[in-house]
Amino acid sequence: MVDLPRCRLSTWADVDGWADAVAAQVRERSAVPSTIVGLTRGGWVPARLLADRLGVKRIVSLRAQHWGVTATPTGDAQLTEGLSGTVEGLHVLVVDDITDTGDSLALAVAHVRDARPARVESATFLHITHSKFAPTYFAEEIPRDRWVWVVFPWNYWEDLTALALRAVEVGQGIDRVRATLRDRCGLDVPRADLERLARYVPFG
Amino acid sequence: MVDLPRCRLSTWADVDGWADAVAAQVRERSAVPSTIVGLTRGGWVPARLLADRLGVKRIVSLRAQHWGVTATPTGDAQLTEGLSGTVEGLHVLVVDDITDTGDSLALAVAHVRDARPARVESATFLHITHSKFAPTYFAEEIPRDRWVWVVFPWNYWEDLTALALRAVEVGQGIDRVRATLRDRCGLDVPRADLERLARYVPFG
């Protein structure tokens, strides 16, 4: 059975709304942090958007490498590169796009704590209830029994590539792939996007 | 005279279009890099979007600190923190949002070269012709005599804050500030955005 999960395509308007919601929670419940730590790769856009809304000038990168594949609810996370700047004595907000298993964010927060900040909080745009780790702030919760693979605007082409390569196993050709993505994943992909993908990825 | 430059508000649709254009140039003229270096803070979103379009799994951060203020065409750039990961022997694409003076990107590329990559290229979404340094790839050129301050979606609130605090010097109150931003900067700012800003920033 080909793994073609139900997906939810998110838009930039969703993203801006999530950033607004998280920033409002931070301002309401806490002081504004002095440094935002963005996890690679999913946390970079959320980190930048939260920095803008909170007026935080310093963003620091932390590499969290998932040893899994797109669109599986499981898969271990492992930190392979450290913080790109010091956080010692600082109030830090660690940011990722989503807590799915929660492994990445849990590892990241533990890693940041080892670097002796004055205070660590965490934030994601989305939080799936079965996650082992709950972020301090999140914009929207997805109940476990309504798990979907969220396609973010900064991961659209990668997700589409991964999904299309699986859909090919169900049936070849752009139109067949498109129908499979619609029926199995709930994704309505413009034909032009699949034509563009077909230039680099063989699924025709 | 209060410094209120002509501005151009960019949208997420602009951003996606720029990312598409730069990614197409990279694929046409070069091999796909193995690592993308995103400059803080302006380069993080472009870096993430190019990584998605080019299928690049590894993004590395490089901190480039501008010692200037929002919306001035001049101002020195200085690298204050190094690369968050190694680039030795790799094909690297260094990414920022815009080359204005060109100082940040020139410094960043020189810094990356010192880390002995196999190959270094650079990319920005926008390139202003008076820039001292031209990136290898850019989506759109702005001629020097049509210089504008580009407000990116990831810098909207910071830019709006900086501009509104200057507009207050022309005349106080949300409606007056709004009119000043429209007349002097060419920015049509929703009143709700200024009301939101007024909760944190005093310009009423």
Side-chain angles (χ1 to χ4, degrees):
Chain A
M1 189 65 179
V2 183
D3 182 22
L4 285 161
R6 297 304 291 181
C7 292
R8 174 176 155 190
L9 193 62
S10 64
T11 65
W12 285 116
D14 294 329
V15 167
D16 275 326
W18 292 327
D20 286 345
V22 170
Q25 287 176 37
V26 172
R27 288 196 187 266
E28 196 172 310
R29 291 163 47 193
S30 174
V32 167
S34 65
T35 294
I36 289 180
V37 172
L39 268 61
T40 64
R41 292 175 300 159
W44 272 28
V45 176
R48 183 66 193 91
L49 297 185
L50 289 173
D52 182 41
R53 281 154 176 85
L54 295 171
V56 173
K57 300 294 181 193
R58 185 157 177 268
I59 54 176
V60 162
S61 181
L62 179 58
R63 183 168 173 85
Q65 181 72 58
H66 270 283
W67 299 110
V69 288
T70 290
T72 57
T74 58
D76 291 341
Q78 184 176 322
L79 291 172
T80 53
E81 287 176 351
L83 285 160
S84 67
T86 180
V87 297
E88 192 174 338
L90 301 175
H91 176 190
V92 177
L93 183 67
V94 181
V95 174
D96 205 355
D97 46 9
I98 185 166
T99 41
D100 193 331
T101 66
D103 287 344
S104 291
L105 193 61
L107 263 173
V109 166
H111 187 81
V112 170
R113 268 193 217 288
D114 288 344
R116 295 188 297 176
R119 183 175 178 187
V120 187
E121 297 176 297
S122 58
T124 58
F125 283 171
L126 299 174
H127 172 54
I128 295 185
T129 312
H130 72 156
S131 172
K132 293 170 215 159
F133 183 89
T136 320
Y137 310 101
F138 53 88
E140 195 182 321
E141 193 162 3
I142 300 177
R144 181 180 190 146
D145 59 359
R146 281 172 35 211
W147 185 90
V148 287
W149 180 260
V150 179
V151 180
F152 294 104
W154 50 86
N155 221 57
Y156 177 74
W157 292 99
E158 279 185 26
D159 284 345
L160 192 56
T161 303
L163 294 166
L165 286 172
R166 293 178 204 167
V168 161
E169 295 178 39
V170 177
Q172 295 198 329
I174 285 180
D175 289 317
R176 185 73 197 277
V177 164
R178 194 162 170 240
T180 301
L181 295 178
R182 189 188 55 227
D183 299 341
R184 295 276 296 271
C185 305
L187 276 183
D188 192 14
V189 179
R191 198 177 194 285
D193 288 0
L194 291 174
E195 286 164 3
R196 176 170 153 188
L197 206 63
R199 280 181 241 152
Y200 316 113
V201 178
F203 60 84
Chain B
M1 189 66 177
V2 182
D3 181 20
L4 285 161
R6 297 304 290 180
C7 292
R8 173 176 154 192
L9 193 62
S10 64
T11 65
W12 285 116
D14 294 329
V15 167
D16 275 326
W18 293 328
D20 286 345
V22 170
Q25 287 176 37
V26 171
R27 288 197 187 264
E28 196 173 311
R29 291 164 47 193
S30 173
V32 167
S34 65
T35 295
I36 289 181
V37 172
L39 269 61
T40 64
R41 291 174 304 159
W44 272 27
V45 176
R48 184 67 193 90
L49 297 185
L50 288 174
D52 182 41
R53 281 155 177 84
L54 295 171
V56 173
K57 301 293 181 193
R58 186 157 176 267
I59 54 176
V60 162
S61 182
L62 178 59
R63 183 167 173 85
Q65 181 71 59
H66 270 285
W67 299 111
V69 287
T70 289
T72 58
T74 58
D76 293 338
Q78 184 176 324
L79 292 172
T80 53
E81 287 175 350
L83 284 160
S84 67
T86 180
V87 296
E88 192 173 339
L90 301 176
H91 176 190
V92 176
L93 183 67
V94 181
V95 174
D96 205 356
D97 47 9
I98 185 166
T99 42
D100 193 331
T101 65
D103 288 344
S104 291
L105 193 61
L107 263 173
V109 166
H111 187 81
V112 170
R113 269 192 216 290
D114 287 344
R116 296 188 296 177
R119 183 174 178 188
V120 186
E121 298 176 297
S122 58
T124 59
F125 284 170
L126 299 173
H127 172 54
I128 295 185
T129 311
H130 73 156
S131 172
K132 292 169 215 160
F133 183 89
T136 319
Y137 310 100
F138 53 87
E140 194 183 321
E141 193 161 2
I142 300 176
R144 181 181 188 146
D145 59 359
R146 282 173 33 211
W147 184 90
V148 287
W149 180 260
V150 179
V151 180
F152 294 103
W154 51 86
N155 221 56
Y156 176 74
W157 292 99
E158 279 186 27
D159 285 344
L160 191 57
T161 303
L163 294 166
L165 286 171
R166 293 178 203 167
V168 160
E169 295 178 40
V170 177
Q172 294 197 329
I174 285 179
D175 290 316
R176 186 72 197 278
V177 163
R178 195 164 170 238
T180 301
L181 294 178
R182 189 187 56 227
D183 299 342
R184 295 278 297 273
C185 305
L187 276 184
D188 192 15
V189 179
R191 198 177 196 284
D193 288 0
L194 291 174
E195 285 164 5
R196 177 170 153 189
L197 206 62
R199 280 181 241 152
Y200 315 113
V201 179
F203 60 83

